[in-house]
Amino acid sequence: MFRLLAMLSVLFFMSAPAKADGIVSRVTAAPIHPNGIVRDIRSGLNIHLQSDEVRGLDFMDPAVLGYGLPAGGSLEIELVEGFQRDPSIALDDRTILLVAGTPQQGLPGRLLGFTVSEGKNPYTFVIGTDSSDGVSAENLVSPAPGAAFDPIRQRGIKIIHIGRHKAFVSRGDKGVVEVRFKDASGKVVSSGRGEVAFLDEPRPRIYPTNIPHDQRNHNWQRVAPNGIVGVASGTLPIPFVLFAKNNDLENNGINSVGVLSADQLAQLNVTIPDVLSRYNGGLILKDTDGDKKLNPLTDQIIGGISNDFPEGSKGGQVVTPIVNDLPFLSVETARFNERAGANIGGSIMQVVFIAGDIPGIYRSTFSLLRVPGALDSGDGSSVTHTTVVE
């Protein structure tokens, strides 16, 4: 059943429901910090933006322009509630990163013409420009090596990542943030507010990543009907970074993980348990018997896939690629990038997507159970991937 993908050569996360409004669509843990929203641990956050015209996940489409910096104005990000400041860590460009799209392609101010400083209080970042003309969204393009090969370049600010150098600690039940774009007179021209619920303990995590392929954008890829993302020309396998429940803060990954689609499970005469019926797209499994294959009857179920495809479409499924006649299961991040392995840790899992038969937006949400193998434990971490079939 895996040979469908034998042609392949070797080569997001959503937190608990929380409020957001204005130009903020949601606040999540940052995808390089497994414990970024755990109470009483140093904070690693991503603030996802949107516009009046394009809301939510659709704002991350590379065909949609992000935000620029106003002429003579500024961008302010304030951590309003739920955070304790470490005054020994400055609020500068080592503490915050503006990001074009997801997974995150960084926009370094030193190269793109803006500066970062502390604002009116110790909980506020101010992004200012060196130019009286500001910096247009069209000119805010990531210098990441792989970004130059994206079929559609991400342009403009879409995500604000806080916590490269961790200047804040999460305290209490939730964190509240505000984002404000100001013109040259100091008037707020666009703003938003969002909150994130803090977790009481670490959980297994799954995040989007662009560590493979020099930070090329693996989300929002385009493919023809019935094409295979990760096999079709110009497309890449879809990677995720996995973290175990890291009580020791060592950023340990989860190796030997892959997926079986609902179609593959049906071929094995395996029915998805009723308690996991939300996983209409298949299961995420960890090879626990060491045979380097996936078997839902002997291996551990650690999560699943929920598909949201165009009505009437047929054939869409997420599967693990086959390399040398075996499923290519998750491995240490260092296998893809030694520096990322040392700095971030975790494990990288890759999948490919077999597109459906009609054009449209195909979304698959990958979720990890709060407790691996405990089917009734609920979802602890989720990330949604989008493919455009055209």
Side-chain angles (χ1 to χ4, degrees):
M1 60 182 169
F2 289 107
R3 290 189 179 276
L4 174 64
L5 298 173
M7 67 186 82
L8 183 66
S9 61
V10 177
L11 284 166
F12 141 168
F13 161 76
M14 297 169 64
S15 63
K19 297 177 182 178
D21 61 27
I23 65 170
V24 175
S25 68
R26 59 191 179 117
V27 183
T28 70
I32 59 174
H33 303 303
N35 296 322
I37 57 169
V38 178
R39 185 181 303 117
D40 299 329
I41 292 179
R42 290 185 180 259
S43 307
L45 305 174
N46 268 15
I47 304 171
H48 296 246
L49 303 183
Q50 60 187 0
S51 67
D52 290 339
E53 298 77 20
V54 186
R55 312 295 286 177
L57 290 175
D58 291 339
F59 192 68
M60 298 301 148
D61 184 345
V64 174
L65 190 65
Y67 286 93
L69 294 169
S74 63
L75 164 62
E76 292 183 352
I77 304 98
E78 182 174 3
L79 281 67
V80 177
E81 177 186 336
F83 301 95
Q84 178 182 340
R85 171 73 190 278
D86 179 349
S88 70
I89 299 177
L91 301 191
D92 57 23
D93 61 359
R94 298 169 298 173
T95 316
I96 193 169
L97 180 68
L98 303 183
V99 176
T102 178
Q104 51 196 62
Q105 294 176 337
L107 299 170
R110 297 182 303 279
L111 297 178
L112 297 175
F114 59 86
T115 58
V116 180
S117 60
E118 185 174 309
K120 62 182 180 181
N121 61 50
Y123 295 85
T124 300
F125 295 89
V126 176
I127 315 296
T129 68
D130 299 329
S131 169
S132 59
D133 296 326
V135 183
S136 69
E138 290 85 350
N139 289 333
L140 286 172
V141 182
S142 176
F149 299 95
D150 288 340
I152 303 175
R153 297 291 299 272
Q154 285 277 14
R155 295 178 181 272
I157 305 163
K158 294 191 174 182
I159 292 175
I160 299 164
H161 167 49
I162 298 173
R164 298 170 72 202
H165 285 193
K166 301 180 183 68
F168 300 94
V169 178
S170 303
R171 300 293 194 195
D173 294 329
K174 67 179 181 181
V176 180
V177 302
E178 288 186 357
V179 176
R180 301 179 290 266
F181 284 91
K182 293 184 174 182
D183 65 15
S185 70
K187 178 183 177 181
V188 175
V189 293
S190 297
S191 65
R193 183 182 179 101
E195 64 180 52
V196 59
F198 294 142
L199 305 179
D200 55 0
E201 64 176 358
R203 297 177 184 173
R205 316 301 298 176
I206 181 169
Y207 294 122
T209 187
N210 55 14
I211 289 172
H213 311 112
D214 290 327
Q215 294 180 270
R216 267 198 59 181
N217 185 14
H218 301 79
N219 208 343
W220 285 92
Q221 295 187 72
R222 267 72 174 170
V223 72
N226 299 314
I228 303 176
V229 175
V231 175
S233 176
T235 67
L236 299 172
I238 303 161
F240 301 94
V241 61
L242 307 175
F243 293 101
K245 180 180 178 179
N246 281 277
N247 290 307
D248 56 5
L249 305 183
E250 290 298 322
N251 295 8
N252 297 316
I254 315 175
N255 291 337
S256 302
V257 175
V259 306
L260 288 177
S261 71
D263 287 356
Q264 290 174 319
L265 292 169
Q267 292 172 22
L268 293 170
N269 295 316
V270 172
T271 301
I272 296 176
D274 288 343
V275 70
L276 300 180
S277 61
R278 63 191 179 280
Y279 298 153
N280 64 328
L283 298 175
I284 303 174
L285 299 149
K286 176 177 172 61
D287 170 31
T288 50
D289 62 10
D291 65 357
K292 299 183 180 180
K293 300 178 182 179
L294 297 177
N295 184 337
L297 301 180
T298 59
D299 293 325
Q300 186 179 57
I301 298 173
I302 67 169
I305 304 165
S306 304
N307 288 333
D308 182 10
F309 295 164
E311 185 176 357
S313 65
K314 298 178 182 178
Q317 58 176 315
V318 176
V319 297
T320 291
I322 296 303
V323 176
N324 297 329
D325 296 324
L326 290 172
F328 189 62
L329 304 179
S330 64
V331 296
E332 295 89 350
T333 296
R335 292 270 295 274
F336 290 88
N337 183 298
E338 186 174 351
R339 181 180 178 185
N343 293 337
I344 297 172
S347 303
I348 301 291
M349 176 184 77
Q350 291 192 110
V351 300
V352 298
F353 176 65
I354 305 170
D357 60 341
I358 62 175
I361 298 294
Y362 288 73
R363 287 198 167 110
S364 294
T365 297
F366 297 76
S367 302
L368 296 185
L369 295 170
R370 291 190 184 190
V371 180
L375 305 191
D376 61 351
S377 63
D379 295 340
S381 174
S382 300
V383 61
T384 299
H385 185 274
T386 302
T387 297
V388 180
V389 176
E390 57 187 13

